Amino acid sequence: MAAVTASTDTVSFIELLVKLSTATELLFANDSEKKLYWDRSHYDSPESQMRALAQSKTLYVGNLAFSTRSNNILSHFSLIGHVRKIHMGLDRFRKTPCGFCFVEYYRRQDALQAVAHLTETKLDNRVIRVELDAGFQPGRQYGRGVSGGQVRDDRRNRHDPARSGQRHRPKWTPPEKVVTTATTTTDTSTNGGGGAAPSDGHYGPAA
């Protein structure tokens, strides 16, 4: 049997496997069921997506309120390290925030620390989901749900006011119509008891 020597390529491949294992654990840090979402529109295979994940400095942040803005997110995630860029998730029809974003760090270590320490923390009074992402690409900022937002919002069974693009106002009911009947009085002092007294006008007594 030929002796096997560890070449540089072999060592690099082993390191990649270790990184993939770590990336997978972080990717599924918040899920009881470990399922990889394969983004077919941006990666030609799950393997290429996992390779990108192993080198990524980008996070996916979910369960945001629609009112949360990039400044709030920047303040929250800067607690871990220097943030390079934030890509807000948008409703693909309205082009308004729809409850998710991508956060890019300068250093991968900061991204890993953010997954470990910021997931399930509160931002604008909502518990957020923080997961390692394979990396932002143009087009990924748009929601993929039928309504234009996220698929999870299409499937939601109950109304969540913080994640709704519509303002739910109480139904307007017209005020009750008040019917008044005109009455006349007799002014015996001015017209001898025969005529009707002049009525008050809109701005005060009639002259």
Side-chain angles (χ1 to χ4, degrees):
M1 181 180 293
V4 178
T5 58
S7 66
T8 303
D9 290 342
T10 303
V11 173
S12 298
F13 180 70
I14 292 173
E15 290 176 349
L16 177 60
L17 288 178
V18 172
K19 288 181 179 179
L20 286 174
S21 176
T22 304
T24 304
E25 290 176 5
L26 289 170
L27 177 65
F28 301 123
N30 306 316
D31 295 333
S32 56
E33 264 186 79
K34 296 187 176 182
K35 294 182 179 178
L36 173 65
Y37 169 71
W38 173 23
D39 185 357
R40 291 175 174 82
S41 61
H42 295 93
Y43 298 96
D44 57 8
S45 69
E47 290 75 21
S48 64
Q49 183 172 337
M50 291 299 290
R51 282 193 294 271
L53 191 68
Q55 306 295 328
S56 179
K57 305 171 186 176
T58 302
L59 304 175
Y60 168 86
V61 183
N63 203 41
L64 296 171
F66 285 12
S67 59
T68 296
R69 295 297 180 257
S70 57
N71 287 341
N72 307 57
I73 298 167
L74 178 61
S75 298
H76 196 72
F77 283 84
S78 292
L79 296 171
I80 300 295
H82 293 294
V83 174
R84 179 175 178 272
K85 197 165 187 178
I86 295 171
H87 305 273
M88 295 297 295
L90 303 175
D91 184 299
R92 70 176 184 277
F93 300 133
R94 300 185 181 95
K95 303 300 185 290
T96 55
C98 65
F100 73 98
C101 74
F102 298 94
V103 176
E104 292 185 26
Y105 280 101
Y106 283 99
R107 301 193 314 153
R108 176 176 169 80
Q109 186 59 33
D110 291 335
L112 302 183
Q113 289 294 318
V115 174
H117 297 293
L118 295 184
T119 190
E120 296 186 357
T121 59
K122 280 193 173 183
L123 177 57
D124 291 344
N125 294 318
R126 290 188 69 86
V127 177
I128 60 174
R129 294 167 41 237
V130 182
E131 300 171 357
L132 191 65
D133 186 81
F136 175 80
Q137 296 184 37
R140 294 193 66 203
Q141 73 269 36
Y142 296 118
R144 299 178 183 178
V146 174
S147 63
Q150 291 190 279
V151 174
R152 66 177 63 247
D153 289 315
D154 287 340
R155 296 174 179 172
R156 195 181 302 276
N157 294 323
R158 61 182 178 82
H159 173 61
D160 186 344
R163 289 180 63 86
S164 174
Q166 299 178 349
R167 295 181 180 178
H168 291 260
R169 299 177 178 175
K171 185 178 179 181
W172 182 81
T173 53
E176 294 183 6
K177 188 174 181 179
V178 179
V179 179
T180 58
T181 55
T183 58
T184 59
T185 58
T186 302
D187 187 350
T188 57
S189 63
T190 58
N191 49 15
S199 61
D200 288 349
H202 182 66
Y203 295 102

